[in-house]
Amino acid sequence: MFWAEALKEPGKDLTGEVGAPGRVAVKDWKKTYRERLTTAAEAVRLIKSGDRVSVANAVGEPSFVIDAMIDNREAYRDVEITHMLPMGKCQFAQAGMEKYFRLNSTFVGGPTRETVKAGHGDFTPCYFSQIPNLYDRTLPLDVALIHVSPPDKNGFCSCGVSIDYTRKSAEVAKIVIAQVNANMPRTLGDTFVHVSKITALVEHDAPLIELPPPKITDVERAIGENCAKLINDGDCLQLGIGAIPDAVLLFLKDKKDLGIHSEMFSDGVVELAEMGVINHSRKNFMPKKAIATFLMGTRRLYDYVHDNPSVHMAPSTWVNDPFIAGRNDNLVSINSCVQVDLLGQVSSETVGYTQISAVGGQVDFVRAAALSRGGRSIIAMASTAAGGRISKIVSLLDEGAVVTTNRCDVEYVITEYGIANLKYRTSRDRARMLIDIAHPDHRDKLKDGFERRFKVKYSGGVSVYLGAWPQRPSV
Ligand code: COA
């Protein structure tokens, strides 16, 4: 009965809402659940040509439902897919799919780089703290594809590892299709969607996508060790994605009472939490809890966060809001980049004209750290790329490169060669400090660049800051 109605009126808002009598009865959620339980093949018939469809972020993508949507592609023309971090196959973005699907992504990664580069897909630049707002304003959603834990006794399903924009997509889309998976951890916080809000429920238990811990090279260890020099007992950490944040964690095992308020975290944090190094005990904001908007790691992480009251997850509009995250005293943000020029302009998302990544939460957290009493922001990177051929510290950003974090926001830049504290320093001092932490093979070229830019003879470096961070006055 429900399905006959649902398929008859494409485009009709089929969601209900807890506490919204007259739309959908929620008092007997089990009945609603049974009525809306269906197969993936049936559920994806709710998607119509020309719809805008959001797909849950990163390892939270509902792969089983996406596969059914791909199988049903001949029924679609020009379905716009909005998505962020591509961790699955992203078949909808691959060559040959252009007739059926059009990608509009807020992030670019491995499986979508070629799509955007070739012009088969679009990229929308947006701070992660604002991505959920796109769905209110510029990108109203027809359909949200989400991935949830089984309902609890009150009929609430958790969006698990991806709350970010995913929970918001379920609030605002006209049609919500959920893969219900017993392997999805039930994370706590502002993570829940009520069964009454979901149009189609597809039960399918499958392992979540896992991201194994990265291999850490000697260069990354050296960078991690330099970053750890700036981290004090009791600090609250934000860690970006990849080998460098994991390398930093290796050097924190002797610290005490660290806390987490981070866009995401991974297995490395679980290890330190189990050792008692991370315990959130000195956090002044949301004490005793790790804060995150999405998670990526192995089953060890997913088991750790399941029903764990010491992990609080919430949408990125809250977690990444600089004025929220900045309420943590001693917030240390650690992120990485592609290039830094001699003025300290940080490019984190392009290689020349090619978009390879996105701003994500980098600027949100650089600014949060600036607002935090005693906060510090770190951009940490290897001094070179391409096996040492290319310096990541450059006189001028590559033609086509975008500035992700602007030079007035940037504070510490760290490589395996040292630490440069650029904040409030003159342009020439910044350049000297950056040359000091560049790879020795590239320093002469950078000194030429210095002389070209500043029209003065390069006269040696300044000593890089290696001491303990002085307490910043209260703001
Ligand atoms: N010139 C040319 N190529 C470069 C380069 C440079 N200066 N720097 C990096 N690259 C290439 C690498 O060789 C690599 O190419 P490959 O994928 O073909 O091997 C690719 O760019 C990615 O670089 P890599 O150093 O391997 O990436 P990473 O995993 O360490 O991530 C960022 C680095 C900058 C891409 C990543 O930190 C990011 O996306 N940052 C922006 C978002 C963000 O900070 N979010 C924070 C909150 S989670």
Side-chain angles (χ1 to χ4, degrees):
M1 166 74 164
F2 174 78
W3 282 102
E5 285 297 304
L7 290 167
K8 212 162 54 195
E9 283 196 71
K12 186 179 174 194
D13 185 342
L14 291 167
T15 61
E17 209 165 9
V18 179
R23 297 186 72 190
V24 172
V26 294
K27 66 176 194 263
D28 187 2
W29 69 264
K30 287 183 183 159
K31 181 166 167 280
T32 306
Y33 188 94
R34 280 193 302 275
E35 278 174 5
R36 296 177 181 203
L37 199 57
T38 187
T39 61
E42 181 85 340
V44 298
R45 288 178 58 207
L46 293 168
I47 301 170
K48 302 292 169 211
S49 291
D51 276 357
R52 179 177 294 118
V53 177
S54 76
V55 173
N57 190 33
V59 299
E61 68 160 54
S63 307
F64 187 67
V65 173
I66 295 172
D67 286 348
M69 179 179 75
I70 301 297
D71 289 347
N72 196 42
R73 63 185 176 280
E74 287 301 340
Y76 312 134
R77 288 293 176 275
D78 208 22
V79 168
E80 180 180 328
I81 305 281
T82 76
H83 189 212
M84 194 178 172
L85 198 58
M87 296 302 296
K89 295 174 279 187
C90 284
Q91 304 100 305
F92 47 77
Q94 303 312 310
M97 291 285 171
E98 301 83 356
K99 189 163 70 171
Y100 317 112
F101 304 106
R102 190 163 42 86
L103 179 74
N104 182 358
S105 187
T106 50
F107 206 92
V108 176
T112 55
R113 279 182 189 153
E114 268 316 302
T115 318
V116 172
K117 190 175 177 186
H120 298 318
D122 278 309
F123 164 69
T124 299
C126 190
Y127 298 126
F128 201 178
S129 58
Q130 294 172 12
I131 285 174
N133 297 336
L134 291 174
Y135 299 152
D136 282 332
R137 296 165 196 168
T138 341
L139 303 175
L141 294 178
D142 298 295
V143 182
L145 304 186
I146 65 170
H147 194 174
V148 296
S149 66
D152 62 17
K153 65 181 171 43
N154 294 310
F156 285 95
C157 301
S158 168
C159 293
V161 292
S162 296
I163 312 307
D164 38 60
Y165 61 84
T166 305
R167 220 221 52 194
K168 174 70 177 255
S169 72
E171 264 170 45
V172 297
K174 292 182 201 152
I175 291 170
V176 179
I177 302 175
Q179 178 177 336
V180 184
N181 185 348
N183 294 306
M184 178 61 85
R186 180 177 183 271
T187 56
L188 305 180
D190 189 3
T191 73
F192 295 100
V193 177
H194 195 263
V195 161
S196 61
K197 196 81 184 96
I198 300 172
T199 323
L201 292 138
V202 179
E203 287 181 347
H204 183 77
D205 296 340
L208 297 191
I209 297 169
E210 295 194 31
L211 185 74
K215 290 215 165 50
I216 296 171
T217 63
D218 289 346
V219 167
E220 285 150 359
R221 285 180 74 87
I223 297 166
E225 195 169 5
N226 279 337
C227 292
K229 288 175 188 158
L230 296 181
I231 297 171
N232 305 319
D233 291 345
D235 281 349
C236 178
L237 308 180
Q238 175 262 327
L239 302 157
I241 302 169
I244 290 175
D246 274 50
V248 176
L249 292 172
L250 288 181
F251 292 93
L252 299 181
K253 292 183 176 158
D254 295 329
K255 305 279 180 193
K256 291 189 188 68
D257 302 333
L258 298 177
I260 297 288
H261 185 124
S262 190
E263 168 180 317
M264 59 85 64
F265 66 84
S266 197
D267 289 45
V269 163
V270 177
E271 189 178 342
L272 290 194
E274 285 174 353
M275 287 170 68
V277 173
I278 291 177
N279 59 19
H280 321 289
S281 63
R282 291 205 223 167
K283 281 177 77 184
N284 60 313
F285 178 67
M286 301 291 287
K288 301 191 183 149
K289 286 178 194 294
I291 308 297
T293 198
F294 76 104
L295 302 163
M296 290 199 298
T298 67
R299 192 67 232 171
R300 180 187 185 191
L301 171 72
Y302 307 150
D303 288 340
Y304 173 79
V305 298
H306 176 69
D307 253 332
N308 184 340
S310 75
V311 178
H312 178 97
M313 295 192 64
S316 62
T317 36
W318 188 83
V319 173
N320 282 39
D321 180 339
F323 291 99
I324 296 290
R327 287 169 68 182
N328 290 285
D329 288 351
N330 303 309
L331 177 68
V332 183
S333 80
I334 304 172
N335 293 292
S336 193
C337 73
V338 171
Q339 281 189 327
V340 182
D341 75 5
L342 287 182
L343 299 174
Q345 305 189 91
V346 172
S347 178
S348 309
E349 47 183 307
T350 48
V351 173
Y353 286 103
T354 306
Q355 188 79 39
I356 63 153
S357 179
V359 58
Q362 182 167 123
V363 174
D364 293 333
F365 276 96
V366 166
R367 290 184 174 160
L371 289 166
S372 153
R373 187 165 45 190
R376 281 135 279 163
S377 75
I378 297 171
I379 299 290
M381 57 167 188
S383 65
T384 61
R389 274 190 302 109
I390 298 174
S391 176
K392 295 181 82 158
I393 296 177
V394 290
S395 301
L396 298 172
L397 296 179
D398 283 353
E399 185 179 330
V402 303
V403 173
T404 304
T405 301
N406 99 37
R407 68 196 196 290
C408 304
D409 284 329
V410 174
E411 190 170 9
Y412 289 96
V413 177
I414 292 184
T415 69
E416 68 275 28
Y417 290 100
I419 303 172
N421 182 359
L422 307 188
K423 197 115 194 186
Y424 307 129
R425 305 305 292 259
T426 66
S427 297
R428 284 190 286 187
D429 264 0
R430 287 162 166 254
R432 290 187 187 105
M433 285 192 272
L434 287 167
I435 293 170
D436 279 356
I437 63 163
H439 192 288
D441 291 352
H442 296 280
R443 288 184 195 168
D444 285 346
K445 201 170 158 210
L446 291 168
K447 289 172 190 169
D448 291 346
F450 179 99
E451 294 180 358
R452 265 199 319 280
R453 178 179 286 280
F454 296 114
K455 312 279 186 268
V456 292
K457 193 103 190 96
Y458 174 80
S459 55
V462 290
S463 49
V464 295
Y465 178 73
L466 284 167
W469 174 255
Q471 279 300 304
R472 186 176 290 163
S474 169
V475 283

